[in-house]
Amino acid sequence: SGDVLSNPFTGTQVLDPDFNDVQTFTMDCGANQGQFRMNSNTGLITLSSEYDLDDAGKTQEVVTCTVTATDKGGHTVSTQLSITVNEINDNAPVLDKGSYSYFVSQCTSVGSPIGQVTSTDKDVQPEHKDVTFDLTSNVGFLVGNDGKIHVAQDLCDVPVGTKYDLTLTASNADGLKDTAPVTVVITDPTTTTSTTSTTTTTTTAAPPTAGGSTSSMDGFFDNLENLAWFVPAVILAAIMVALLFYFLYKCIRNSDALSRLCCKRKTSISKVRDPQKIDGKYEWNVWSHSDYTDTKIEMR
């Protein structure tokens, strides 16, 4: 806004037969009327506000206006004026983050990438989107124009915990730029260590092979979940066996108690003899006895 366009009427006179006549200028740009203004005495054209093509995604736009010259007598003459607006590199690149932090293992090889940065640019033409990245205080690390940050020196002698404070800059050909701080911290080198982990799995046991194998049992006792129920079960079984032996001991020591506690009283018919025919009649001999008495009763 406020920029003055080159005067299209420089070196051109408005032809008027009247001697020493004076003309004033007006300009009508239709829908873009508020975008430009013309000096009524000199014909100079000034931008009233910024004309931005980036939001519309255009590289060029032509504005057509009608310019009219009017003399003191009210006589007029008109002509068409075309104003061509070209998209320019007027936007700075914008980094994707406000700050960056990286942790790099000691002895990371030179050339190894440690991070990726990107930027955006509202300009439309591809050549206006070109960006160059740079790391100020290029100590230990470099950034390429692809946005990848690399290790640039041997870090094996750098103490663990060392912190690098750098500044990342993204700039275009016209010097418009964006910056962000970058922090790199050196950590312990990556080493290969043996670790033990517990994994619970469900498997189907294979049938035992001839000669027996202890591998299945070893695997059984290696599982903590199996031990969690197996140990209480063994303790409970031992208690039950001890109680059984205790009651047997009590029964053996006390015959009365044995009869009451350990045995069940029953009465049975021990034998029924085959019928015998005596004097034309049948005879049965039946004995009834108790488990605890020798009393015998004979009935006919």
Side-chain angles (χ1 to χ4, degrees), residues 168-191:
L168 175 68
T169 302
S171 57
N172 60 23
D174 288 338
L176 301 174
K177 61 185 179 180
D178 187 23
T179 61
V182 178
T183 301
V184 181
V185 178
I186 306 302
T187 62
D188 288 333
T190 302
T191 57

Side-chain angles (χ1 to χ4, degrees), residues 75-241:
H75 304 290
T76 63
V77 63
S78 298
T79 188
Q80 182 174 298
L81 172 67
S82 296
I83 302 174
T84 302
V85 182
N86 293 307
E87 189 264 342
I88 62 171
N89 190 1
D90 61 335
N91 292 289
V94 178
L95 290 166
D96 60 326
K97 294 181 181 179
S99 63
Y100 302 85
S101 296
Y102 301 103
F103 296 90
V104 182
S105 297
Q106 193 182 42
C107 288
T108 299
S109 58
V110 175
S112 298
I114 65 169
Q116 174 74 54
V117 299
T118 60
S119 66
T120 56
D121 194 320
K122 288 181 61 178
D123 291 320
V124 179
Q125 298 190 62
E127 58 268 26
H128 295 165
K129 292 178 176 291
D130 287 345
V131 62
T132 301
F133 295 104
D134 182 58
L135 271 177
T136 58
S137 302
N138 287 328
V139 178
F141 305 93
L142 291 174
V143 61
N145 285 335
D146 57 357
K148 289 184 179 180
I149 301 177
H150 300 265
V151 176
Q153 73 175 39
D154 187 359
L155 300 176
C156 290
D157 295 331
V158 178
V160 172
T162 300
K163 184 176 73 169
Y164 293 87
D165 292 317
L166 311 172
T167 300
L168 175 68
T169 302
S171 57
N172 60 23
D174 288 338
L176 301 174
K177 61 185 179 180
D178 187 23
T179 61
V182 178
T183 301
V184 181
V185 178
I186 306 302
T187 62
D188 288 333
T190 302
T191 57
T192 303
T193 57
S194 299
T195 59
T196 303
S197 60
T198 302
T199 304
T200 302
T201 58
T202 302
T203 59
T204 302
T209 58
S213 173
T214 61
S215 60
S216 297
M217 293 302 295
D218 292 340
F220 177 86
F221 289 113
D222 288 339
N223 193 322
L224 295 179
E225 291 186 358
N226 293 336
L227 291 177
W229 65 263
F230 181 78
V231 172
V234 171
I235 295 174
L236 181 59
I239 294 173
M240 294 178 65
V241 171

Side-chain angles (χ1 to χ4, degrees), residues 16 18-24 41 70-73:
D16 192 329
D18 296 320
F19 183 71
N20 291 331
D21 205 348
V22 178
Q23 299 82 28
T24 58
N41 296 319
T70 305
D71 64 10
K72 291 186 294 185

Side-chain angles (χ1 to χ4, degrees), residues 28-101:
D28 181 8
C29 296
N32 293 296
Q33 180 63 27
Q35 198 74 53
F36 306 94
R37 65 177 182 270
M38 173 176 278
N39 187 300
S40 61
N41 296 319
T42 63
L44 290 176
I45 302 172
T46 306
L47 261 130
S48 300
S49 61
E50 180 182 358
Y51 203 111
D52 196 353
L53 297 177
D54 299 319
D55 291 338
K58 296 179 179 180
T59 59
Q60 187 181 86
E61 188 167 277
V62 178
V63 179
T64 301
C65 304
T66 300
V67 177
T68 301
T70 305
D71 64 10
K72 291 186 294 185
H75 304 290
T76 63
V77 63
S78 298
T79 188
Q80 182 174 298
L81 172 67
S82 296
I83 302 174
T84 302
V85 182
N86 293 307
E87 189 264 342
I88 62 171
N89 190 1
D90 61 335
N91 292 289
V94 178
L95 290 166
D96 60 326
K97 294 181 181 179
S99 63
Y100 302 85
S101 296

